[in-house]
């Protein structure tokens, strides 16, 4: 994995309490993309006066292009907030060829370590551009101002490697893998999971070490994806169940929560060490229960029963959903603990 390690420090980072303080004085003339709450938390810390501050109200490409048209001449663009504010800054930095600084104020998404910006064309997500922050600023105090449950949700896309790697291996065994299978990548993914498992208490309490572990996990995952050219090791049946539910219910979810439910159910369908991964999700206080997401039992049941058709129709990556039938008996068994843990579910 030497090649992977060579990329490890590819994103310049600044970690610390008050890490963002006065960064505005180091980056020339700058503009900010943000939202109300993140800006309230950070505007007195950033130092220097931004040439412009844009409150991001949409991720439509046409809207972002209109911001670029009115952008004053700048050396840097600073994205402050969650995924959207950061992605808007990435898009602008890429289009204008200027320096990007990202200051995530919440960890619920990995937008701040990925290179492409997720923008919308007619409400459909497209990933475009290729930029990296210089630097990525992780200010522990700023991140702790976000709701704890949302920061914890950041663990969802790390734990998903547990089920996604299983699916990739399964696909390989059946001669159905879309990408050349790599045991090295699976080993690297497992190593990230093992490391995360030792910091579950810190992630639950959102300590400095917990925040750092999540960010470093994301960065390591991003390095793997960068060298592999795909996210097969991180996305599998646990995400596919979520896509089905999202289409069925036509509303957004907190990503880490719904992915957590996917991990809970798909690790059981895979018979893949589900006790341990469930224990980890419980220990970290990940809110993956259907009732917490307003998913009635009948809806979850219908979704599970449709998954096999759904992944075939969408031509999604080959996974356990292609090979194992989901029966009423199985649903009864797999959801039994969700029932006892949360009576509202039934
Ligand atoms: Zn995800």
């Amino acid at each position: 994995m030497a090649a992977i390690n060579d990329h490890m420090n590819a994103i310049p980072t600044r970690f610390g309490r008050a890490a963002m303080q006065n960064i505005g004085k180091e980056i020339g003339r700058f503009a900010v993309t943000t939202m109300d709450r993140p800006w309230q938390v950070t505007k007195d810390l950033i130092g220097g006066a931004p040439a412009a501050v844009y409150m991001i109200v949409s991720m439509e490409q046409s809207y972002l292009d209109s911001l670029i048209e009115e952008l004053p001449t700048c050396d840097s663009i600073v994205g402050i907030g969650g995924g959207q504010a950061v992605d808007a800054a990435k898009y602008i930095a890429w289009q204008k060829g200027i320096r990007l600084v990202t200051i995530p104020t919440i960890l619920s998404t990995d937008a701040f370590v990925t290179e492409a910006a997720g923008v919308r064309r007619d409400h459909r997500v497209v990933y475009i551009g290729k930029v990296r922050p210089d630097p990525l600023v992780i200010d522990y105090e700023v991140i702790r101002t976000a709701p704890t449950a949302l920061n914890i949700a950041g663990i969802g896309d790390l734990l998903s490697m547990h089920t996604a790697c299983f699916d990739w291996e399964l696909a390989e065994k059946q001669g159905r893998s879309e990408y050349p299978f790599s045991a090295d990548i699976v080993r690297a993914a497992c190593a990230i999971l093992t490391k995360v498992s030792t910091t579950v208490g810190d992630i639950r309490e959102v300590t400095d070490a917990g925040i750092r572990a999540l960010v470093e996990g994301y960065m390591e995952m991003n390095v793997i994806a960068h060298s592999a050219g795909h996210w097969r090791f991180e996305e599998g049946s646990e995400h596919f169940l979520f896509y089905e539910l999202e289409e069925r219910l036509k509303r957004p979810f907190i990503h880490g929560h719904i992915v957590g439910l996917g991990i809970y159910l798909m690790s059981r369908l895979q018979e893949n060490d589900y006790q341990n991964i469930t224990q980890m999700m419980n220990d970290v206080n990940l809110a993956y229960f259907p009732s917490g997401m307003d998913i009635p039992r009948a809806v979850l049941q219908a979704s599970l029963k449709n998954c096999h058709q759904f992944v075939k129709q969408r031509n999604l990556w080959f996974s356990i959903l292609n090979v194992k039938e989901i029966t009423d008996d199985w649903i009864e068994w797999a959801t039994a603990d969700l029932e006892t843990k949360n009576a509202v579910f039934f």
Side-chain angles (χ1 to χ4, degrees):
M1 295 316 286
I4 285 179
N5 288 327
D6 287 346
H7 289 282
M8 285 293 281
N9 300 314
I11 299 179
T13 49
R14 195 180 294 186
F15 286 94
R17 297 184 182 183
M20 71 163 289
Q21 206 141 30
N22 288 326
I23 192 153
K25 293 180 177 163
E26 303 169 27
I27 53 174
R29 203 170 137 85
F30 67 96
V32 171
T33 57
T34 187
M35 289 187 184
D36 273 342
R37 211 190 133 275
W39 186 233
Q40 288 308 318
V41 173
T42 55
K43 67 180 179 0
D44 296 330
L45 301 171
I46 193 164
V53 177
Y54 299 113
M55 295 293 160
I56 300 303
V57 296
S58 156
M59 288 306 287
E60 281 294 323
Q61 193 173 6
S62 53
Y63 165 76
L64 297 173
D65 286 338
S66 73
L67 296 186
I68 289 173
E69 265 175 41
E70 60 178 75
L71 184 76
T73 307
C74 281
D75 304 299
S76 310
I77 179 95
V78 186
I80 303 176
Q84 296 202 350
V86 166
D87 268 353
K90 282 157 68 178
Y91 179 74
I92 293 170
W94 175 65
Q95 287 283 12
K96 297 292 287 182
I98 59 177
R99 179 174 175 179
L100 171 71
V101 176
T102 52
I103 309 179
T105 58
I106 186 165
L107 296 180
S108 63
T109 140
D110 65 353
F112 55 86
V113 298
T114 56
E115 292 182 327
V119 304
R120 307 282 185 289
R121 283 185 196 142
D122 294 328
H123 306 285
R124 290 209 150 207
V125 187
V126 283
Y127 290 92
I128 47 177
K130 192 174 164 81
V131 282
R132 58 184 45 184
D134 177 22
L136 160 66
V137 182
I138 301 292
D139 188 315
Y140 299 134
E141 300 294 4
V142 166
I143 287 186
R144 274 192 286 267
T145 64
T148 301
L150 297 186
N151 278 326
I152 291 173
I155 203 171
D157 270 341
L158 291 169
L159 299 185
S160 65
M161 289 188 288
H162 177 75
T163 36
C165 282
F166 183 98
D167 284 330
W168 192 17
E169 254 179 304
L170 176 73
E172 170 68 10
K173 278 182 205 145
Q174 305 226 353
R176 298 286 302 272
S177 180
E178 303 77 2
Y179 299 101
F181 180 76
S182 162
D184 276 351
I185 288 179
V186 170
R187 263 195 297 276
C190 286
I192 297 173
L193 276 176
T194 304
K195 211 154 83 180
V196 168
S197 72
T198 64
T199 53
V200 156
D202 281 297
I203 294 171
R204 181 185 61 231
E205 306 300 330
V206 200
T207 66
D208 293 359
I211 293 170
R212 191 168 184 129
L214 276 185
V215 173
E216 286 183 346
Y218 277 154
M219 289 200 297
E220 287 168 23
M221 223 165 53
N222 193 53
V223 167
I224 298 176
H226 187 81
S227 62
H230 62 80
W231 287 88
R232 185 63 159 112
F233 63 96
E234 186 266 341
E235 180 169 329
S237 50
E238 75 297 318
H239 274 76
F240 305 157
L241 170 65
F242 146 53
Y243 299 151
E244 208 286 344
L245 277 164
E246 194 177 47
E247 273 205 32
R248 183 174 289 273
L249 291 169
K250 300 194 174 20
R251 60 178 165 85
F253 294 94
I254 292 163
H255 191 73
H257 294 171
I258 192 79
V259 168
L261 177 63
I263 296 166
Y264 184 94
L265 291 167
M266 292 303 115
S267 63
R268 280 165 174 73
L269 191 63
Q270 294 169 336
E271 298 177 54
N272 170 23
D273 199 12
Y274 55 84
Q275 293 97 338
N276 273 329
I277 199 78
T278 302
Q279 190 64 48
M280 233 161 114
M281 294 199 294
N282 291 342
D283 288 348
V284 82
N285 264 350
L286 185 68
Y288 63 87
F289 295 104
S291 61
M293 291 178 274
D294 268 330
I295 303 172
R297 185 182 202 285
V299 169
L300 183 58
Q301 190 162 20
S303 176
L304 282 165
K305 294 194 86 164
N306 186 44
C307 268
H308 179 70
Q309 273 304 107
F310 180 80
V311 296
K312 285 210 303 205
Q313 274 163 4
R314 297 302 141 96
N315 211 11
L316 297 174
W317 291 331
F318 192 88
S319 74
I320 191 74
L321 290 167
N322 292 81
V323 295
K324 207 157 164 188
E325 196 193 344
I326 293 184
T327 62
D328 289 331
D329 283 351
W330 181 83
I331 293 174
E332 206 57 47
W333 169 78
T335 58
D337 277 353
L338 291 171
E339 178 182 16
T340 50
K341 281 214 172 100
N342 210 322
V344 191
F345 179 48
F346 286 74

